[in-house]
Every structure is written in structure tokens, then in C-alpha cells.
Amino acid sequence: MKAFVYGFLIVLFILHQDFWLWDNTNLMLGFLPVGLAYHALFSIAAAVAWFLAIQFAWPDELLGEFNESGQGKEGEDSR
């Protein structure tokens, strides 16, 4: 799953360079420029990608700093 997340992030990086829509003057739903609609959907895909990255590719070493009570190593509140 970690490889899928990394691959998905690379694909999103490539798709972010939307040079094929620069000259498109069409409107979606009669009011929304195609480029703006593309970036709205791209933002949703990016949010999904980061959710998957946190769930499946986040390093366990970073999670080990906190105990179950939500307190960090020095006792500060992590919330």
C-alpha cells in the first residue's frame, strides 16, 4: 500500500502541471471555467492522497513520541 501512496503522489505531481487546459475557455455547468473545475477536483484528490499517506505511509517512529494520554515526551499537551 505504501508503494501505491507514493505512486499516487507522483501521479498527482505530474497532473498538477495542467498545461493542456491553459487555453480552454469552456465553462462547466455554465459558469465554472474548466481549469478551475480541474483544480477543485485536483484538490479533493490531493486531500485523499494525504489521508492515505497518513494512514499507510506515515513513519512509525514519529508516532512513538506520544503515549495514549496525548502527552508528548516533555509532558506538554499535544492537542
Side-chain angles (χ1 to χ4, degrees):
M1 190 64 169
K2 192 181 275 193
F4 171 76
V5 171
Y6 290 142
F8 188 43
L9 289 173
I10 291 169
V11 167
L12 283 179
F13 176 76
I14 293 167
L15 289 176
H16 189 257
Q17 315 305 320
D18 66 332
F19 56 87
W20 55 88
L21 293 176
W22 286 354
D23 297 327
N24 192 334
T25 59
N26 294 331
L27 297 176
M28 296 193 67
L29 305 174
F31 69 94
L32 190 63
V34 171
L36 184 59
Y38 176 83
H39 276 281
L41 293 174
F42 182 86
S43 295
I44 293 169
V48 169
W50 288 117
F51 172 78
L52 293 173
I54 291 169
Q55 293 297 317
F56 300 109
W58 198 264
D60 291 331
E61 300 84 42
L62 295 178
L63 296 176
E65 295 181 10
F66 297 93
N67 59 27
E68 286 126 17
S69 67
Q71 301 292 323
K73 283 185 179 176
E74 292 82 28
E76 74 274 359
D77 191 2
S78 63
R79 291 175 258 150

